[in-house]
Amino acid sequence: MSAFDPWDPAFLADPYPAYAELRARGRVHYYAPTNQWLVPRHADVSALLRDRRLGRTYQHRFTHEDFGRTPPPPEHEPFHTLNDHGMLDLEPPDHTRIRRLVSKAFTPRTVERLKPYVERLAGELVDGLVRRGGGDLLADIAEPLPVAVIAEMLGVPESDRAPLRPWSADICGMYELNPSQEAAQRAVRASVEFSGYLRELIAARRKEPGDDLISGLIAAHDEGDRLTEQEMISTCVLLLNAGHEATVNATAGGWWTLFRHPDQLAALRADHSLIPSAIEELMRYDTPLQLFERWVLDEIEIDGTTIPRGAELALLFGSANHDPAVFTDPGRLDLARADNPHISFSAGIHYCIGAPLARLELAASMRALLERAPTLTLAAEPRRKPNFVIRGLEGLQVRVG
Ligand code: HEM
């Protein structure tokens, strides 16, 4: 059809020209390779995220057969059991019940209390980088910060944290378009291991509660708030994965964008009060999560095109964030951009529950890097991961001094 080709390295390097073409050509486009309807404009993405005729799942209302879909192969069952019981893949009333419980841990006030801890950790990580004269900003800063924070919140002991990142990466492989058989096998193995680990941790916290989110969820469960064991496991995996994956990519990707815009980086170095708007702009400019899908539960019409029940929409967040109908000069990085209604944290009932925490972490690492590593420069051109939905770098080599 067009330059939109999520398997083409040139598209992955810079998908934004292809999005501009899609937006100009119309509001909705059928895309045969994934059997989805692509939605590229901001107004539509924003409205459809709030539209209750759509859902992240259909299984609360229909069977796979009703929906004209083949059930996933039985050997993928451990992945689907894990995934389908997390709140991101549930719809009301189950979604509402679980989100209500979990949201208590993510109120702006609760997150504000984490600030000294997050800032101290960011400072220590950056000091280490400075002592070594540089390193990999992704592996040394972007990754350990959010992993430690979410693991700490949930009460995963430090000695158990090493496999969290590989488990998460393997599970997230299933969120790409048309995942391969090998990706599915890796996701299944990770789902079995991660679930097994959490089942044991939950049992340990049940015996000996701590001051952590898992103990809190157990208490809610035991008080009759009807969080099943599987929902508890799925929620913890979702929090551990969602709680770092996009933040890692936003941090490293954000610095890669800054290095390619030296005038903007200089302005930020000269005025740290730009940090909050810089974070929003970097998430708009190169959107860490490029696409989210929705099932059509009840027929909808977009611009005269009827989209039937059972169809799937692909909402193009990266495209919505570059829509000139909403953003003045969207291809320009403007760290001082004031009016910035980007959609990187979604909208509607699945709006990112961790957005306040993500903003806190992004600000803490950016401030620490600006203050403690003022001579930070790029040491080598980074390589991009060959993924589309979860947009990220393999690493980001930097030098200090
Ligand atoms: C830059 C970082 C982050 C980005 C860009 C991001 C983005 C998103 C988006 C787009 C969604 C909704 C997907 C949809 O509508 O289909 C979402 C949901 C979610 N996010 Fe984040 N997120 C980030 C960080 C975090 C953090 C730090 C946490 C911490 C726990 C988190 C936890 C969640 C959870 C639990 C959901 C599911 C909410 C629900 O279904 O009600 N995220 N996130």
Side-chain angles (χ1 to χ4, degrees):
M1 69 187 276
S2 67
F4 181 87
D5 178 356
W7 294 279
D8 174 6
F11 169 83
L12 292 179
D14 182 7
Y16 299 100
Y19 291 151
E21 185 199 321
L22 283 178
R23 282 192 309 271
R25 285 211 350 251
R27 291 172 53 196
V28 65
H29 310 271
Y30 179 70
Y31 187 58
T34 56
N35 187 20
Q36 290 174 323
W37 293 85
L38 306 178
V39 180
R41 295 193 193 167
H42 188 284
D44 290 320
V45 172
S46 176
L48 290 166
L49 285 169
R50 297 170 168 88
D51 194 322
R52 302 307 306 136
R53 291 171 299 173
L54 306 177
R56 287 233 8 148
T57 181
Y58 52 81
Q59 294 182 60
H60 57 310
R61 284 184 50 191
F62 305 102
T63 63
H64 294 300
E65 291 72 24
D66 291 337
F67 232 55
R69 301 275 159 175
T70 38
E75 63 272 22
H76 294 179
E77 193 268 338
F79 166 79
H80 290 285
T81 299
L82 184 61
N83 187 69
D84 297 355
H85 291 84
M87 80 178 108
L88 184 54
D89 281 277
L90 290 171
E91 290 293 310
D94 293 326
H95 173 267
T96 324
R97 172 172 52 87
I98 299 178
R99 180 152 176 139
R100 200 172 42 230
L101 286 174
V102 175
S103 61
K104 287 180 199 149
F106 291 94
T107 62
R109 251 196 38 235
T110 322
V111 169
E112 191 59 27
R113 278 209 298 269
L114 288 170
K115 200 170 169 185
Y117 163 70
V118 175
E119 287 180 344
R120 194 186 66 239
L121 192 57
E124 286 168 8
L125 291 168
V126 172
D127 287 348
L129 187 83
V130 172
R131 269 198 309 277
R132 295 188 295 277
D136 180 356
L137 192 145
L138 191 146
D140 298 345
I141 312 280
E143 198 172 271
L145 181 65
V147 171
V149 172
I150 192 67
E152 199 70 29
M153 281 181 85
L154 278 150
V156 175
E158 218 168 317
S159 52
D160 293 355
R161 290 180 196 168
L164 295 180
R165 208 28 212 155
W167 280 334
S168 169
D170 285 348
I171 289 172
C172 287
M174 283 296 262
Y175 304 134
E176 292 301 320
L177 299 173
N178 301 351
S180 68
Q181 202 42 40
E182 298 78 66
Q185 278 163 5
R186 278 198 300 274
V188 167
R189 193 170 341 112
S191 301
V192 171
E193 291 174 10
F194 208 164
S195 301
Y197 170 71
L198 279 165
R199 193 166 287 115
E200 279 177 26
L201 186 62
I202 290 167
R205 290 289 174 273
R206 197 183 288 285
K207 275 200 209 114
E208 208 176 313
D211 182 20
D212 53 63
L213 189 49
I214 291 185
S215 303
L217 290 175
I218 293 170
H221 172 241
D222 292 349
E223 279 158 25
D225 242 333
R226 299 197 344 275
L227 195 73
T228 65
E229 173 95 354
Q230 183 57 56
E231 286 169 345
M232 203 141 55
I233 292 170
S234 297
T235 298
C236 292
V237 169
L238 172 66
L239 287 169
L240 285 162
N241 291 356
H244 78 271
E245 201 69 47
T247 318
V248 173
N249 293 325
T251 308
W255 275 92
W256 166 227
T257 299
L258 287 172
F259 289 133
R260 283 175 297 148
H261 294 83
D263 57 323
Q264 289 289 301
L265 179 53
L268 181 61
R269 282 187 167 138
D271 180 3
H272 294 184
S273 74
L274 283 173
I275 290 174
S277 62
I279 284 165
E280 303 306 316
E281 176 66 347
L282 290 166
M283 278 205 295
R284 179 198 72 81
Y285 183 81
D286 200 8
T287 309
L289 300 165
Q290 288 278 318
L291 169 154
F292 279 93
E293 292 152 348
R294 290 294 186 270
W295 296 105
V296 178
L297 305 175
D298 295 303
E299 181 181 290
I300 58 167
E301 196 191 295
I302 303 177
D303 203 22
T305 303
T306 300
I307 309 200
R309 169 179 291 167
E312 197 180 26
L313 302 183
L315 307 177
L316 299 174
F317 282 30
S319 176
N321 281 344
H322 280 247
D323 189 339
V326 175
F327 303 99
T328 314
D329 204 356
R332 191 165 64 88
L333 180 76
D334 175 7
L335 298 183
R337 193 180 286 273
D339 186 19
N340 191 349
H342 70 71
I343 215 136
S344 300
F345 286 120
S346 192
I349 65 166
H350 293 287
Y351 177 81
C352 178
I353 209 169
L357 178 60
R359 288 186 164 117
L360 171 65
E361 291 171 347
L362 291 167
S365 67
M366 182 176 279
R367 183 175 293 284
L369 282 161
L370 290 172
E371 285 175 357
R372 297 169 188 233
T375 57
L376 189 76
T377 48
L378 186 67
E381 197 78 358
R383 278 194 311 142
R384 196 167 275 297
K385 286 195 176 142
N387 303 338
F388 168 53
V389 177
I390 302 181
R391 188 166 171 77
L393 300 175
E394 298 278 6
L396 188 67
Q397 292 300 327
V398 293
R399 206 174 289 119
V400 187

